[in-house]
Amino acid sequence: MNRLVVSNANDLKGALDTYRPLPDMRLGETMVKERLITETQLADALSTQRQSTGKQLGQILIDMGVLTPAQVSTVLASKLGIPYLKLQDFQADPRTIARLPAEIALQHNVFPLGEVNGKLVVAMENPLNQAMIDALRFNTRMNIEAVMASPQDLSVVLGKYYGTADETEALEDLKMDPIKEAASSGESSHLIEQQAHKKPIVRLLNSIVLQGVTRGASDINIRPEKDRVNVYYRIDGKLHFSNAISKSLLPALVSRIKITGQMDIAERRLPQDGHARLIRGDKTIDLRISIIPTVRGESVVIRILDKEAGLKPLDKLGLQERELCIIKHLLAKPHGLFLVTGPTGSGKSTTMYALLNEIRKRNPHILTVEDPVEYDMDGIEQVQVASDRGYTFAAVLRNFLRHDPDVIMVGEIRDEETAAVANKAALTGHLVLSTLHTNDAAGTVTRLVEMGIEPYLLGATLLGVMAQRLVRVNCPHCVEKENIEPSLRKALNIGPAEAFHRGKGCPACNFAGYHGRMTVCELLHVTPEIIEAINGGKAMREILQIAISQGMTRLTENALTLARQGKTSIEEVLAVRID
């Protein structure tokens, strides 16, 4: 019998109904009947088996060179009447994956395929391992239906959805940026530290991190609950539940995370921050770790800073052609202030790095001050602030002015002092880029004046303000027409005949309906008329009207344009709408 190809959970029921056990016949007799071996070869193998207690007949025939592992597995599956499946192109449902903890799947080399007739169908190398099946039943609280798959296929799907055992072994020695020496005291801390070094805990953490990297998550949340610990991944800005692990593993798991991030494992009552660097082949991924104590135990968030995903060219952010042209024009200016604004999680950092990437093409001297430095960029001198030592944004900026820069990037304008020094740097012949927490572009002018910058000074330096959000992109594999309520059409000024689309949800997008995100913005280009309005102390509403009359497109309209192009949904337009 050949391996049966299954591509998704819907194929499983037909595969299970296809096979029936062979008549009561020993494995060796089945092999002879299938003409895979001769009677003489079987007799020799049985003789060897009697002399080597405990060795399986199939393995003896493999060692003799008579059969291959695939042939033995094929006959065993045929005898048992179970499918022998080919899984390399299998698309798993994340809800099924969540039923089996990563540490169990990796430790036992098994993979959950789907639910059929109330049973969880699990692929494994040896479906006769009753102890393993009992362990799976206990962990999933479901009856188990075993099917066979080759070790190679299991390795592929485990690597795709969990992170393979080989990879987790290779990541037991994560390369870390040194923060400080970990300290421990007390017998309980010592015992927990010993547990944290044990292979199951190491593999558990590595499988959690690897699954996050594989699924393209930006953050991993490990949250203690009353009777369990939940693991979530933030993918395309939304949290997705992955699986639950035993509450008893939390102390050792958190200690392992602290060791990885060079934190104090004895400190459990105060928040801690850590830092690790993950090497996968030629790829380097930074991990930023935050641990806070809660009433149910220590909660962990691991930020995944993937340079390949986070450092994008400016023209790959998804900006409209008009905005892109204006931004490139402003970046060519020798001096002035350009700001990127928006709430937390709106993609400001990604945009800032894209701007730097564009500017460094002409090889200027670029200095950045950040908290923290998220991505290490070649050709740019980056400085990390240390507020506890008085090394603040404003203090670093003052030093920058004596260090012969052409371009300065300030991670964030948080206070009046930083705003004043940044504006001074722009006045004295430097191109200054920074971010600010404001909702829209025109409101940024008012915010800076409120922070103490004189309007005539701001009018002399401000080049432009880009207010942005991130919208999720429709999954191209499951996009369908979106039903929109008449009230929403009226609120967004959408015609009754206009059609819009969104992703329905499929295995390719983890049933989210979206895959990836793109930037949507409104760009305030500071023209002579707007400079005059700023100098005259005009209100935000008046500045906004001037900008619109000169061609500025509001963020909501740009989001609607993306929806009309089928790139995103009306649901996402509503999520980023600015009234």
Side-chain angles (χ1 to χ4, degrees):
M1 120 178 151
N2 295 321
R3 288 195 293 164
L4 183 67
V5 177
V6 292
S7 59
N8 54 53
N10 294 329
D11 297 339
L12 287 174
K13 189 175 187 306
L16 291 168
D17 291 342
T18 301
Y19 296 92
R20 293 289 182 271
L22 292 177
D24 190 15
M25 188 181 296
R26 294 178 182 274
L27 183 63
E29 294 171 347
T30 304
M31 292 176 177
V32 172
K33 183 180 179 182
E34 295 286 332
R35 297 184 179 180
L36 294 173
I37 61 174
T38 64
E39 292 278 3
T40 302
Q41 289 170 328
L42 174 60
D44 291 342
L46 290 172
S47 176
T48 302
Q49 186 181 39
R50 284 190 290 270
Q51 297 171 15
S52 54
T53 306
K55 201 164 187 179
Q56 295 179 339
L57 178 64
Q59 187 59 50
I60 293 172
L61 289 165
I62 292 170
D63 294 342
M64 291 170 58
V66 176
L67 294 178
T68 65
Q71 288 174 313
V72 173
S73 296
T74 300
V75 175
L76 180 60
S78 179
K79 174 175 169 49
L80 296 174
I82 63 175
Y84 182 35
L85 303 181
K86 186 174 183 179
L87 303 177
Q88 289 184 351
D89 298 320
F90 188 80
Q91 295 294 327
D93 187 334
R95 291 167 291 190
T96 302
I97 299 298
R99 288 192 175 277
L100 189 61
E103 67 273 18
I104 301 297
L106 291 168
Q107 183 178 352
H108 297 292
N109 208 32
V110 297
F111 186 78
L113 299 172
E115 295 179 34
V116 175
N117 299 328
K119 295 182 179 180
L120 182 64
V121 182
V122 178
M124 56 181 63
E125 295 178 53
N126 181 11
L128 295 176
N129 189 336
Q130 190 59 47
M132 185 187 298
I133 293 174
D134 290 341
L136 294 173
R137 183 184 298 114
F138 175 79
N139 277 278
T140 61
R141 295 180 174 84
M142 293 187 69
N143 289 327
I144 302 299
E145 179 88 34
V147 298
M148 284 190 73
S150 70
Q152 293 79 13
D153 277 10
L154 285 168
S155 178
V156 169
V157 292
L158 286 170
K160 182 177 180 180
Y161 293 99
Y162 290 111
T164 65
D166 288 342
E167 286 178 314
T168 54
E169 287 282 3
L171 290 170
E172 286 178 11
D173 295 320
L174 294 177
K175 292 188 177 181
M176 296 169 287
D177 292 331
I179 306 298
K180 61 181 180 180
E181 291 297 324
S184 62
S185 60
E187 185 178 356
S188 61
S189 294
H190 178 68
L191 291 174
I192 293 173
E193 185 177 5
Q194 283 184 325
Q195 290 180 327
H197 285 287
K198 290 183 177 179
K199 187 168 289 188
I201 296 298
V202 173
R203 280 194 168 187
L204 172 58
L205 174 59
N206 292 339
S207 67
I208 289 172
V209 173
L210 277 171
Q211 189 177 164
V213 172
T214 303
R215 294 176 65 177
S218 61
D219 299 87
I220 302 169
N221 284 240
I222 301 172
R223 298 187 193 171
E225 301 293 343
K226 185 177 180 180
D227 57 353
R228 64 189 185 278
V229 179
N230 289 338
V231 179
Y232 299 85
Y233 295 101
R234 186 175 294 279
I235 302 171
D236 296 334
K238 301 293 182 180
L239 279 176
H240 298 264
F241 173 78
S242 175
N243 63 291
I245 60 178
S246 171
K247 188 71 175 285
S248 64
L249 296 174
L250 181 64
L253 177 61
V254 173
S255 292
R256 180 65 199 173
I257 292 169
K258 289 178 179 178
I259 291 168
T260 300
Q262 297 278 318
M263 291 177 274
D264 183 355
I265 69 167
E267 181 54 74
R268 300 177 199 139
R269 294 174 295 179
L270 295 174
Q272 294 192 70
D273 293 325
H275 204 153
R277 181 162 291 163
L278 188 64
I279 308 296
R280 295 186 72 200
D282 297 331
K283 190 174 184 180
T284 300
I285 299 169
D286 285 332
L287 306 176
R288 203 167 71 216
I289 305 166
S290 171
I291 299 178
I292 61 171
T294 73
V295 294
R296 291 176 173 169
E298 290 179 286
S299 174
V300 181
V301 172
I302 302 174
R303 169 67 57 88
I304 300 172
L305 299 171
D306 186 344
K307 198 170 184 178
E308 290 183 9
L311 294 180
K312 297 181 179 179
L314 187 60
D315 55 3
K316 297 297 183 183
L317 295 181
L319 302 175
Q320 298 296 320
E321 189 63 32
R322 177 183 179 275
E323 280 82 11
L324 186 60
C325 290
I326 293 174
I327 289 172
K328 288 185 176 182
H329 169 70
L330 296 179
L331 294 180
K333 299 277 188 181
H335 55 81
L337 179 63
F338 184 83
L339 298 172
V340 178
T341 74
T344 300
S346 59
K348 296 188 299 296
S349 294
T350 299
T351 298
M352 292 299 288
Y353 282 108
L355 296 175
L356 291 176
N357 206 34
E358 182 71 21
I359 291 170
R360 70 174 176 173
K361 292 177 181 178
R362 61 177 190 265
N363 199 31
H365 183 196
I366 303 175
L367 297 175
T368 77
V369 51
E370 305 171 59
D371 185 22
V373 174
E374 293 194 3
Y375 298 104
D376 181 16
M377 295 184 71
D378 294 333
I380 296 175
E381 295 183 280
Q382 297 168 271
V383 176
Q384 167 82 48
V385 302
S387 299
D388 56 338
R389 300 198 305 270
Y391 203 45
T392 61
F393 278 108
V396 176
L397 271 174
R398 290 193 185 91
N399 291 327
F400 277 5
L401 295 179
R402 299 189 291 271
H403 208 70
D404 189 35
D406 298 306
V407 179
I408 297 172
M409 192 272 272
V410 184
E412 182 183 347
I413 294 178
R414 297 177 178 173
D415 51 48
E416 296 178 10
E417 187 179 16
T418 305
V421 179
N423 197 65
K424 179 184 176 182
L427 276 170
T428 54
H430 306 92
L431 180 61
V432 179
L433 312 176
S434 191
T435 69
L436 198 65
H437 286 277
T438 59
N439 288 326
D440 61 1
T444 303
V445 175
T446 307
R447 176 67 59 82
L448 290 170
V449 172
E450 290 173 350
M451 294 177 77
I453 299 180
E454 293 292 341
Y456 73 93
L457 294 177
L458 183 59
T461 59
L462 191 61
L463 299 174
V465 181
M466 174 180 166
Q468 71 169 64
R469 303 290 190 275
L470 293 174
V471 293
R472 292 181 291 173
V473 178
N474 286 332
C475 174
H477 301 286
C478 60
V479 69
E480 64 177 13
K481 191 173 180 179
E482 185 178 15
N483 292 322
I484 304 169
E485 297 290 333
S487 59
L488 289 181
R489 288 183 179 271
K490 183 177 180 181
L492 294 172
N493 196 25
I494 299 171
E498 286 191 85
F500 295 89
H501 297 81
R502 65 154 296 163
K504 180 181 179 180
C506 66
C509 60
N510 288 318
F511 295 91
Y514 302 96
H515 186 70
R517 290 188 290 177
M518 64 192 307
T519 304
V520 60
C521 77
E522 62 181 32
L523 180 62
L524 176 68
H525 180 199
V526 179
T527 61
E529 291 78 13
I530 292 177
I531 291 174
E532 185 178 344
I534 294 172
N535 291 341
K538 299 294 186 182
M540 178 188 77
R541 179 67 59 184
E542 294 178 73
I543 293 173
L544 176 61
Q545 290 303 321
I546 294 171
I548 291 174
S549 69
Q550 294 180 341
M552 185 182 89
T553 305
R554 296 303 309 272
L555 187 146
T556 305
E557 286 301 315
N558 276 331
L560 270 173
T561 298
L562 294 177
R564 288 186 173 105
Q565 294 169 350
K567 295 178 180 178
T568 193
S569 66
I570 291 297
E571 174 190 30
E572 287 295 287
V573 174
L574 290 170
V576 301
R577 179 184 178 189
I578 297 177
D579 292 322

